[in-house]
Amino acid sequence: QGWAGRPADGKDTSVLTPAAAESAKSRPAPDARRRPVVVLVNDDEDSLFLLAHSVRRAVPNTDVVTLSRAAEALTYVQTHPVAAVVTDNRMPEMDGLTLIRRIREFDARLPLLMVTGSIEAEAAAYAAGANGYLSRLCWAGVGAELRNLLSVQ
């Protein structure tokens, strides 16, 4: 895998394997003149709408891409410059934990947030490589968390 994990002290010790580093080189670099792109992934149309609205209000200087399938998001992240990904966990075909693990195979530093209704998923989200976890009941928290993650890049 490309993700070395997060130690108990919270310091980023992310390390890319040689294969993951090579894959990351082929991904387009962010253009400093363009607005950062935040990818939102959720198979529930209403939740995706609410999440997009929350992110656009909280982080107005970003472009928001909404996708309903994790496989679409994986392809998008592999082929476009992206500032952050916010994903639901429970989705058909590929869940959010798998999406996070797959992204970590080629990008150890991309901010990844898990938003889900399952409290049990928190530890699994961090173990998969997520930078943050938020309850689906806390839409406003997503925007604040994204602002924090994007400001440290």
Side-chain angles (χ1 to χ4, degrees):
Q1 282 191 346
W3 178 249
R6 178 191 311 248
D9 66 5
K11 292 182 181 173
D12 183 10
T13 59
S14 53
V15 176
L16 285 176
T17 62
E22 191 58 37
S23 175
K25 287 180 191 174
S26 64
R27 191 166 140 227
D31 183 344
R33 296 168 297 194
R34 295 188 56 130
R35 293 171 13 147
V37 174
V38 175
V39 175
L40 307 178
V41 190
N42 196 314
D43 63 317
D44 180 76
E45 197 173 303
D46 292 335
S47 294
L48 192 58
F49 174 81
L50 290 170
L51 183 59
H53 178 72
S54 177
V55 170
R56 286 183 180 112
R57 284 185 56 139
V59 194
N61 295 327
T62 60
D63 290 327
V64 176
V65 173
T66 58
L67 300 168
S68 60
R69 293 180 42 237
E72 292 173 319
L74 183 60
T75 299
Y76 190 91
V77 171
Q78 289 172 324
T79 58
H80 294 83
V82 172
V85 175
V86 179
T87 184
D88 186 27
N89 185 30
R90 293 186 182 167
M91 295 180 285
E93 300 171 24
M94 181 191 306
D95 64 21
L97 292 172
T98 303
L99 174 61
I100 289 170
R101 283 188 209 101
R102 298 278 305 272
I103 291 172
R104 286 295 181 231
E105 290 174 2
F106 62 88
D107 193 327
R109 291 179 176 81
L110 180 64
L112 302 173
L113 291 177
M114 169 85 61
V115 178
T116 189
S118 168
I119 292 176
E120 297 82 32
E122 181 177 6
Y126 285 119
N131 299 86
Y133 169 90
L134 293 163
S135 166
R136 182 178 292 160
L137 303 174
C138 184
W139 295 116
V142 173
E145 186 71 19
L146 273 174
R147 271 196 313 272
N148 290 338
L149 286 172
L150 294 173
S151 70
V152 296
Q153 284 189 343

